[in-house]
Amino acid sequence: MSGGMFQGRRKTSSAGLLSGRLHGLWLIVILLFVVLILRLSSIQLGAGAEYNQLAVENNFKQVPLVASRGKIYDRNGNILVENRSLFTAIYLEPDSDKKKKLATAKELANVLKMPLKDVLEAMDIGLDAKGKPTMRKQPPYFPKKLKDRLSDEEIVKISENPDRFPGVNIFSEPLRQYRTDSIAVQTIGYVRPYAGAKTSMKKYKAVAAQPNQAGYLDWEQVGMDGIEYSYQDELRGKNGYRLVRVNSQGKLVEVLKEVSPKPGNDLITTLDQDMQLEAEAFVEQHLARLRTQAGNKRAPYARNAYAVAMEVKTGKIRSMVSYPDYDPNIWNGKVGSGDYRNLSFVINNGTIREAPYDARGSASPQSEVKRHPFSVLPSGSTFKPLTVLMGMMEGVIKPNTYWRDPGAFYYAKATPPVRNSGRHNYGLLDPVKAIQKSSNTFMAWLATKWYRRDKLEAVEKFERLAHAFGLGIKTGVPLPREQDGLEDYKIIAKRNSGIGAMALASFGQAQRYTALQLAQFMQTLGNKGTRLRPQLVEKVVNPTTGKTKEIKPEVMQRTPIKESYYQTVVRGMVQVTKPGGTAAELFNHLPFDVAAKTGTSEQDIPGRGRVENSVFVAFAPANDPQIAVAVIVPEGGYGAVAAGPIADHLITSYYEKFMKK
C-alpha cells in the first residue's frame, strides 16, 4: 500500500510541473503579442507620419525668393550698381516616371537653346541623356533653377504649353546690373552664383559648411571681388520664400504662404562719379598720346596706368583708376575660356595688387606679358622725400646740412658709383635742393652715412619708418587680396651688402610699392605723420527703415614729425614744381602750390633689358594739404611726362569739385 501511495504522489507532482510549464509558455506568447502590437502601433504612428510628410512634400513646395542686393552709390547719390528684375525658369520635380522627365528635358533643351546635358544637370533628376541613372546633387523636392534672363519668346512657349513642360514654373528674381561705362569696375568688383563661389573661395567654403548653407542658395549672386566682396554681409539681403501647392504635373496651383525677402543694405561710397569718369577718360587719351607721339617722350608700350586720389585729412578715396578696365556685365552670362583669357589681363585692381601688362591683341599674349613690368614696381625717386625726412629724424643730417655733389658717389670700393639722372652734377646741395633736383648721389650719401653709424640697425630703422608712412605694409583698404609690396633691400642687406642695400633703397630702386601705398604715403606725409585707413564707403543705409550707419575716418598710426623737418621736406617738394625742378611744367594753372615728386624707376626685364617706369606722387595745397595722389605708368618713361599729367588732372579735378566752390 505504501508503494501505491508513493506512485500516486509522483503522478500528482508530474502533473503540477507540466501545468506550470504551460502557464509559462502562455505568458511568453502573450508578451510576444504585446511587443508585436506595440511595434505595429509604432510603425503606424511614427513611420506613418514620415510617409505622410513625404507625401505632403510631393504636393507642397517651398520656393525660395531671392533678396535684392543693396545698391551702390557714389558720394552724391549717383547710382553705380543696381538690380533689375528678370524671369527665371524653376523646376519643381513632379511625381512622374523617368521617361516623361527625360522628354521634358528634351523639350526644354529645344526651347531654352541649351545642350541637353546642361538641362539635365540643372533639373537634377538623376538621369543622363541616355536615361541612365546618375548621382543627384539635391533631394527631389528641392526647387531647381533651370535658366534666368528668359526671353519673351521662351516665357510664352513655356507658359502656353504646360503639358510639354511639367514641373517648369516661371518666377521673377533680381539680377545685378552694372553700368555700361565700366566706372571704377575693379574697385566695385563683381558677383557670381554662390554654387561656384563655395568651391573656390575660403569665405564661402566656410558658409557651405554651416547647416543649410546659412540660408545661401546655389544660384544666389555673391560678391567675388572689390566692394561687392568686402561688403558682402551688408549688401546681401535676407531671402524669403513661397509655400505653394502643386499638382501631379508639378504645376503651381495655389500660394499658401509668402514671406517676402528683405533687400540688402545700400552703400554710399567715397567715390565721386564725375571725378572718376573724367580720370578714366583722361588716362585712356593720355596713354594713346604717349604711344603715338614723336620724339624722346614717346612711350610705345605705355598701355597701363594706376592712379589714386585720397583725401589727406579723412582717408576718403575720391578716385581709383586701374586701366584698362572691362564691362562687368560679362559675369551675368556664360563666360567662355576666351573671355577668361582676356579678363586675366584687366580684372586685377592694379592699384592694390599686381596687374599684368595689357597683352590682348598680341600674337602670343602669354609670352608677351612676360616681357613687361607689372603694376607693383620700384618707386624710384618718389621715395626721396622720405629718405630726407628719415635722415633728419635720425640725426644723420639737419635742415641746413650742405654737401657737395661729386657727380659720381662711391659708397664702397670695387662697386659702381651712384650717379644722377643724365650724369648731372648739382654742386652744393642741401635737403631742399636735393629733393628739387632729385639727386641720387645725395640720397646715397645720406643713407650710407647712416649705415656706417648704425650698421644693420639702420636697415631696421629704415624699414620701421617706411612702414609708419604706409610703405611696405598693407594700407588696410577694405578690398580683398591687397599686397604689401616688396622690400628687396632687406634681402640685399641679409645676403649681400647692408651698405649697398641702403644706397639703392635711398633713391627707391630696392623696394616696390602699389599706387595705393604711395598715395597713403603722401596722405601721411601731408597729414604730418598721421596715417589713415583708406576709406571707400561713407555710409551704410537700410533701404527699408532709412537707418544709416556712418563710417568715420580711422587713424592707423601717428608718427611725430618735428615742424622744421616737415617744412624742409615740403619746401623741397614744392620746388619740384618750380623752375629748375623736375616737374616745372605741371600745376602752374592752380591758385596754390603743390608738393610733388617725380620718379623714373628702372627695371630689368628678361629678354628686353632695362625699361623705365613713370611714377609720380603729390599732395595739395602745399600749405594746407587736402588731397594726395599717386600715379604709376609702367614703361611710361620719365615721371613728369607720363604719370605727372595724370596727377595734375586729378588734383585739378579735386580742386574744381571739392575746393573751388
Side-chain angles (χ1 to χ4, degrees), residues 398-450:
K398 296 179 180 180
N400 59 355
T401 293
Y402 285 90
W403 180 76
R404 186 165 294 279
D405 184 359
F409 173 68
Y410 292 85
Y411 60 85
K413 294 180 180 180
T415 59
V418 174
R419 298 183 185 275
N420 297 314
S421 176
R423 292 178 175 261
H424 287 293
N425 186 318
Y426 296 116
L428 193 63
L429 294 170
D430 65 359
V432 171
K433 188 177 179 181
I435 293 174
Q436 179 197 31
K437 297 296 184 181
S438 196
S439 172
N440 294 337
T441 56
F442 184 91
M443 303 302 156
W445 164 74
L446 185 164
T448 54
K449 181 180 179 183
W450 183 6

Side-chain angles (χ1 to χ4, degrees), residues 542-603:
N542 185 311
T544 304
T545 65
K547 185 178 179 181
T548 300
K549 178 176 70 177
E550 188 171 349
I551 299 176
K552 303 288 186 181
E554 181 182 345
V555 175
M556 300 188 76
Q557 187 174 348
R558 298 183 192 274
T559 304
I561 302 174
K562 192 174 179 180
E563 185 65 20
S564 61
Y565 300 163
Y566 173 78
Q567 292 298 336
T568 297
V569 172
V570 172
R571 283 201 305 273
M573 294 177 69
V574 168
Q575 289 302 310
V576 167
T577 66
K578 301 299 181 183
T582 56
E585 297 180 0
L586 300 172
F587 309 110
N588 295 326
H589 55 286
L590 292 171
F592 48 74
D593 286 335
V594 175
K597 187 68 193 77
T598 59
T600 307
S601 73
E602 296 180 339
Q603 195 170 354

Side-chain angles (χ1 to χ4, degrees), residues 439-479:
S439 172
N440 294 337
T441 56
F442 184 91
M443 303 302 156
W445 164 74
L446 185 164
T448 54
K449 181 180 179 183
W450 183 6
Y451 181 84
R452 287 190 174 94
R453 188 191 73 182
D454 295 343
K455 300 299 185 289
L456 287 176
E457 187 181 348
V459 179
E460 295 173 1
K461 290 179 179 178
F462 186 97
E463 176 192 10
R464 189 160 57 248
L465 285 170
H467 289 185
F469 284 81
L471 299 174
I473 57 173
K474 293 181 179 180
T475 67
V477 67
L479 292 175

